[in-house]
């Protein structure tokens, strides 16, 4: 097992004819993901370079292909609408890769998802996506660095939850070097308003029999890591290791991600690390020690 | 994107929020004329305020009370063209290019009112306090009970009963209540309509009672508005109000090339892909005893040209005594970075130690390019992993010092 996606997940790409959408559709196909089609309004009936059918609407795509997941590369002004279109069509896993969506659009989209489509699970936006190694890759991550549990020398696999893309790859690579596989890796995105957050994913990983431990990677801005620490203390039985990026980030400056900003004294790395430590979670001092911290928490060192 | 106070006041005034008279001036003579105009409208005193984006102007001498046109001239003359150093600007300060001359008003009581995004609930929240005129963070710390929070429904917007409740909680009475509610409703409307990050009135004040206003008047005295950069594409008029004179030239240049760059005070420049990894690279430099000179995220799809420009920007900072390149290729291909390093070596030139750590997509061809270029770039070292990279660059910079 795994969380969110597996070898049976049928995926479409919204924005499949754009350059990023086309490039990563091929990347996912090459990895072995069941890509079943794409959506670009006005290009319905055509096929992409891989021979995948293109539809005008997500509903058409779902009806024809049975897709149950989508990866969204639609440009920022139209991306929130694309998310809601996927939800309306009954898609369960909505991965929004697009960076730069107006916050107000996401605030509205999130409220509508919550009230009208409670079963839809949105991941992102501004995220690398989600991957279950050797089964399903939805997003832009380099697939080859991942290891499924079946091929891990320790026979163990970890779940990874992260607000950062490349830092997730770093964690994947480090866990691989420690002989650990990954059950599922989820990039929750660098924006201040996002879909699935630490707590929902911690709960899923805690319930997933394939997941032996969990790495959560946070960064400055907001208080979600503090809330997650509180949740882990009383709800998560599996070993958790953490890393928080941005100890040296100055307050009041947005560090690349729209959500990575210390404002009004809130969102500092110190506060998050203190909360995680207080919950008994091993926090790696250095970004080079994420894999090591996880291996230690699993009793492998 | 931040607005100046005079721009924020104009936006509030245009939306129907009562704001005392104020005129922006580009020089001391204009400030004098502005005072004369305000005096003709009945003002008996005014405040000359430096228009810079940084907070903490008052303590830094950027806010002066004046009682005549000549005093307004002198106050403006003392600020204009000179750097203002506040606790938010850094030691070099920011140059004052404009002042606001605002009519002084008598104040019976000060309040705080703002709307911002509450990230924990993904909803806008109105924050209000009867302790106005001071920093809200300070109130939150010292007297958290004095802060009122009212969440706003993302689609329905602020409701009248919610605004009334807040007005009552703030202690408004009589005709003040209607005035305060009207201001709150307009502020909430502005927040949504303008895709604001934050709209803040601090202080919101009540004037002493007079014959026409037995309960006093509720007015916005100082205003701050910041916008969501991601939404500026649908607010070209707001974008035109952007004053970039306070933004470091290197940051503007970086932005043109799609790079995210922030200058810091250290001496080890870093070039990284991804915001989280870029922050972590700064952190690990510090952990090994160095000080990062910048945050730089080249992003996933930067061209070779943009990466070369990134090197140029990093090396244009005279504090930089070494450069660490840390790339975990995903969409970004390592060989592209390797080629950019070679190009930068001939176009920009590396005179300080350079440590390169590459991992991920196309790392093998990238290593070949780097190996082949080693002889031509004697300052370059290759690192195996993140720790090795941080050690090598901090050692090299220490050794060179």
């Amino acid at each position: 097992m795994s969380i969110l996606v597996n070898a049976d997940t049928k995926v479409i790409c919204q924005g499949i004819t754009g350059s990023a959408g086309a490039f990563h559709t091929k990347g996912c196909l090459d990895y072995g993901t069941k890509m079943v089609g794409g959506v670009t309004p006005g290009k319905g009936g055509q096929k992409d370079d891989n021979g995948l059918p293109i539809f005008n609407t997500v509903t058409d795509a779902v009806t024809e292909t049975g897709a149950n997941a989508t990866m969204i590369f639609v440009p920022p002004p139209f991306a929130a609408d694309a998310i809601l279109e996927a939800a309306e069509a009954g898609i369960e896993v909505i991965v929004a890769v697009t960076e730069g969506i107006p916050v107000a659009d996401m605030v509205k989209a999130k409220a509508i998802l919550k009230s009208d489509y409670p079963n839809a699970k949105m991941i992102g936006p501004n995220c690398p996506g989600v991957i279950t190694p050797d089964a399903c890759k939805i997003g832009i991550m380099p697939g080859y660095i991942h290891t499924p549990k079946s091929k891990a020398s320790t026979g163990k696999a970890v779940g990874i939850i992260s607000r950062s893309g490349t830092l997730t790859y770093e964690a994947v690579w480090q866990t691989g070097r420690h002989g650990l596989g990954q059950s599922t890796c989820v990039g929750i995105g660098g924006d201040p308003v996002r879909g699935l957050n630490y707590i929902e994913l911690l709960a899923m990983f805690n319930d997933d029999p394939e997941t032996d431990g969990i790495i959560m990677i946070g960064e400055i801005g907001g208080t979600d890591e503090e809330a997650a620490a509180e949740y882990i203390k009383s709800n998560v039985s599996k070993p958790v290791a953490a890393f928080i990026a941005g100890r040296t980030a100055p307050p009041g400056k947005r560090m690349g991600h729209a959500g990575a900003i210390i404002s009004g004294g809130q969102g500092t790395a110190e506060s998050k690390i203190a909360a995680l430590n207080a919950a008994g979670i091993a926090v790696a001092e250095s970004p080079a020690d994420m894999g090591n911290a996880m291996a230690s928490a699993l009793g492998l060192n | 994107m931040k607005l100046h106070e005079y721009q924020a006041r104009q936006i509030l005034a245009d939306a129907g929020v009562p704001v005392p008279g104020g005129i922006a001036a580009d020089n001391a003579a204009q400030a004098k004329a502005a005072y004369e105009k305000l005096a003709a409208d009945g003002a008996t005193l005014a405040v000359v305020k430096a228009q810079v984006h940084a907070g903490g102007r008052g303590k830094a001498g950027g806010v002066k009370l004046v009682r005549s046109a000549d005093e307004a001239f002198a106050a403006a003359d003392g600020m204009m063209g000179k750097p203002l150093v506040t606790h938010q600007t850094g030691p070099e300060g920011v140059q004052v290019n404009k002042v606001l001359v605002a009519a002084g008003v008598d104040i019976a009581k000060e309040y705080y009112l703002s709307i911002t995004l509450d990230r924990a609930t993904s909803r806008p929240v109105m924050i209000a306090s009867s302790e106005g005129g001071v920093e809200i963070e300070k109130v939150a710390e010292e007297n958290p009970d004095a802060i009122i929070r009212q969440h706003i429904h993302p689609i329905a917007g602020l409701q009248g009963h919610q605004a009334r409740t807040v007005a009552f909680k703030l202690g408004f009475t009589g005709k003040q209540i209607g005035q305060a509610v009207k201001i709150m409703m307009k502020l909430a409307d502005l927040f949504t309509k303008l895709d604001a990050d934050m709209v803040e009135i601090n202080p919101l004040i009540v004037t002493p009672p007079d014959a026409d206003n037995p309960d006093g008047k509720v007015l916005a005295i100082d205003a701050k508005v910041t916008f969501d950069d991601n939404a500026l594409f649908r607010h070209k008029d707001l974008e035109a109000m952007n004053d970039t004179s306070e933004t470091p030239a290197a940051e503007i240049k970086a932005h043109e090339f799609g790079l995210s760059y922030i200058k810091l005070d250290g001496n080890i420049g870093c070039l990284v892909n991804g915001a989280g990894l870029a922050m972590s690279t700064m952190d690990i430099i510090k952990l090994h005893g160095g000080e990062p000179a910048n945050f730089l995220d080249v992003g996933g799809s930067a061209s070779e040209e943009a990466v070369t420009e990134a090197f140029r920007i990093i090396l244009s900072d005279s504090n930089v005594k070494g450069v660490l390149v840390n790339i975990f290729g995903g969409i970004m291909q390592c060989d592209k970075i390797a080629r950019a390093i070679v190009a930068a070596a001939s176009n920009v030139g590396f005179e300080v130690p350079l440590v390169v750590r590459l991992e991920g997509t196309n790392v093998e061809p990238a290593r070949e390019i780097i190996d082949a270029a080693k002889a031509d770039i004697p300052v370059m070292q290759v690192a195996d992993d993140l720790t090795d990279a941080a050690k090598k660059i901090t050692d090299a910079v220490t050794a060179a010092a």
Side-chain angles (χ1 to χ4, degrees):
Chain A
M1 281 300 293
S2 53
I3 68 164
L4 296 165
V5 297
N6 56 40
D8 298 325
T9 305
K10 289 184 183 169
V11 187
I12 55 164
C13 175
Q14 286 170 263
I16 192 168
T17 53
S19 62
F23 180 78
H24 291 290
T25 295
K26 175 146 189 350
C28 293
L29 262 179
D30 290 348
Y31 189 74
T33 304
K34 274 196 184 144
M35 294 298 306
V36 295
V39 174
T40 295
K43 295 194 177 170
Q46 303 179 20
K47 289 204 188 308
D48 82 341
D49 290 344
N50 309 294
L52 293 174
I54 301 170
F55 301 93
N56 283 325
T57 68
V58 180
T59 300
D60 286 351
V62 169
T63 309
E64 295 297 322
T65 67
N68 54 4
T70 178
M71 102 179 145
I72 296 177
F73 284 95
V74 171
F78 319 106
D81 180 42
I83 290 168
L84 292 175
E85 183 185 356
E88 171 92 23
I91 296 268
E92 290 156 30
V93 174
I94 302 168
V95 179
V97 177
T98 307
E99 175 174 7
I101 305 177
V103 174
D105 292 6
M106 287 313 303
V107 164
K108 286 195 187 109
K110 197 172 172 183
I112 295 169
L113 286 179
K114 197 176 166 194
S115 66
D116 294 12
Y117 312 104
N119 295 326
K121 295 181 179 70
M122 174 172 66
I123 296 155
N126 188 12
C127 80
V130 54
I131 182 168
T132 295
D134 279 10
C136 180
K137 161 179 134 89
I138 306 180
I140 63 179
M141 65 291 278
Y144 76 92
I145 60 173
H146 300 81
T147 313
K149 187 170 184 167
S150 57
K151 293 182 187 163
S153 64
T154 58
K156 290 187 189 296
V158 300
I160 300 178
I161 313 167
S162 172
R163 282 167 65 186
S164 151
T166 44
L167 202 48
T168 314
Y169 312 160
E170 187 73 48
V172 168
W173 187 72
Q174 289 177 23
T175 50
R177 282 182 133 194
H178 278 85
L180 292 164
Q182 300 84 34
S183 53
T184 302
C185 305
V186 189
I188 58 177
D191 278 2
V193 174
R194 51 181 172 260
L196 291 185
N197 214 333
Y198 292 112
I199 291 175
E200 292 99 321
L201 290 160
L202 284 162
M204 288 183 209
F205 278 130
N206 198 50
D207 290 342
D208 171 39
E210 285 297 292
T211 301
D212 299 294
I214 305 163
I215 299 185
M216 71 170 264
I217 301 169
E219 64 190 31
I220 56 161
T223 54
D224 291 341
E225 290 84 353
E226 285 89 330
E230 199 56 41
Y231 177 84
I232 292 167
K233 199 157 59 175
S234 35
N235 299 285
V236 177
S237 55
K238 292 179 181 174
V240 180
F243 176 73
I244 303 293
R247 277 189 222 216
T248 51
K253 292 268 186 183
R254 246 171 244 285
M255 306 303 281
H257 283 157
I261 182 167
I262 299 166
S263 56
Q266 267 201 338
T268 64
E270 287 71 30
S271 151
K272 294 169 192 296
I273 293 166
L276 290 161
N277 281 330
I281 296 154
V283 182
E285 274 280 306
S286 158
D289 286 339
M290 292 184 287
N292 194 40
M294 185 74 261
S296 292
L298 285 165
L300 296 171
N301 284 351
Chain B
M1 183 195 131
K2 288 177 184 171
L3 285 189
H4 286 303
E5 178 191 3
Y6 79 93
Q7 296 167 319
R9 282 170 57 115
Q10 190 60 51
I11 282 180
L12 287 184
D14 289 348
V17 173
V19 177
I23 299 163
D26 293 322
N27 54 52
Q30 282 184 12
K32 184 179 179 184
Y35 187 94
E36 283 161 354
K37 174 141 197 331
L38 294 174
D41 291 342
T44 54
L45 77 170
V47 190
V48 177
K49 303 167 103 174
Q51 296 299 289
V52 296
H53 288 144
R57 294 172 299 169
K59 280 185 197 140
V63 179
K64 290 247 162 43
L65 191 67
V66 294
R67 293 174 191 281
S68 71
D70 287 340
E71 280 184 30
F73 182 95
D77 199 41
M79 295 178 199
M80 209 67 89
K82 298 181 182 68
L84 184 73
V85 182
T86 85
H87 69 276
Q88 289 185 359
T89 60
E92 67 286 353
V94 286
Q95 184 173 310
V96 179
N97 297 320
K98 213 182 251 295
V99 296
L100 170 71
V101 186
V105 285
D106 291 330
I107 296 173
K109 182 156 174 53
E110 295 182 303
Y111 301 83
Y112 174 93
L113 185 66
S114 74
I115 299 173
T116 187
L117 171 75
D118 175 34
R119 292 173 57 159
T121 56
S122 298
R123 289 183 171 214
V125 62
M126 185 162 74
I127 298 170
S129 175
S130 55
E131 294 188 12
V134 291
E135 277 179 40
I136 195 69
E137 289 87 13
K138 214 167 166 202
V139 180
E141 208 172 287
E142 290 166 6
N143 189 10
D145 291 345
I147 292 181
I148 300 157
R149 285 189 177 78
Q150 172 63 56
H151 281 98
I152 298 172
H153 191 281
I155 292 152
L158 182 68
Q159 300 299 298
H161 70 90
Q162 295 172 325
R164 275 198 306 280
T165 305
V166 172
F168 281 114
K169 280 188 187 165
L170 285 171
F172 286 115
T173 54
K175 292 207 163 120
Q176 296 167 3
I177 294 163
Q179 296 177 52
V181 165
K182 198 172 138 198
I183 291 171
M184 289 179 207
M185 299 300 283
K186 289 193 185 305
L187 205 63
D189 192 38
L190 271 182
F191 180 83
T192 310
K193 217 161 62 187
L194 302 181
D195 277 298
D197 234 10
M198 187 187 67
V199 288
E200 181 187 73
I201 301 174
N202 189 23
L204 179 75
I205 63 129
V206 177
T207 61
D210 59 37
D212 296 333
N213 303 285
D215 294 326
K217 280 187 294 187
V218 184
L219 302 173
I221 296 292
D222 195 347
K224 204 186 274 178
V225 179
T226 58
F227 301 108
D228 175 9
D229 292 343
N230 286 350
L232 285 177
F233 68 85
R234 56 191 175 205
H235 300 286
K236 292 292 171 209
D237 50 332
L238 296 176
E239 206 172 0
M241 296 170 90
N242 194 11
D243 173 7
T244 55
S245 66
E246 288 176 41
T247 313
E251 286 182 23
I252 295 172
K253 187 92 190 156
H255 190 74
E256 282 169 19
F257 282 84
L259 308 162
S260 181
Y261 169 85
I262 294 164
K263 186 181 159 6
L264 303 169
D265 298 331
N267 58 5
I268 299 179
C270 8
L271 187 151
V272 190
N273 66 325
L277 194 61
M279 276 187 271
S280 304
T281 304
M282 289 158 44
D283 296 348
I284 200 168
I285 287 171
K286 177 97 175 175
L287 204 60
H288 289 269
E291 289 289 342
N294 65 274
F295 167 93
L296 196 155
D297 171 12
V298 295
S301 48
S303 64
E304 210 174 295
E305 186 200 3
V307 179
T308 308
E309 190 59 33
F311 280 113
R312 198 186 302 277
I313 289 166
I314 290 171
L315 293 168
S316 70
D317 176 355
S318 59
N319 292 334
V320 168
K321 302 294 180 230
V323 178
L324 173 55
V325 175
N326 181 21
I327 300 292
F328 206 117
I331 327 174
M332 173 56 79
Q333 292 155 357
C334 289
D335 53 331
K336 191 193 271 183
I337 298 284
R339 278 194 300 275
I341 291 172
V342 175
S346 53
N347 299 338
V348 190
F350 291 106
E351 278 154 25
V352 295
L354 168 70
V355 173
V356 179
R357 185 268 177 148
L358 301 171
E359 203 59 64
T361 307
N362 289 4
V363 70
E364 292 310 328
R367 290 204 173 120
E368 282 165 23
I369 295 168
I370 294 291
D371 281 344
K374 263 182 186 164
D376 295 333
I377 315 174
V379 294
M380 181 168 68
Q381 298 180 70
V382 176
D384 299 332
D385 60 29
L386 211 41
T387 303
D388 187 40
K391 273 188 187 150
K392 279 187 171 139
I393 192 64
T394 47
D395 286 352
V397 168
T398 312

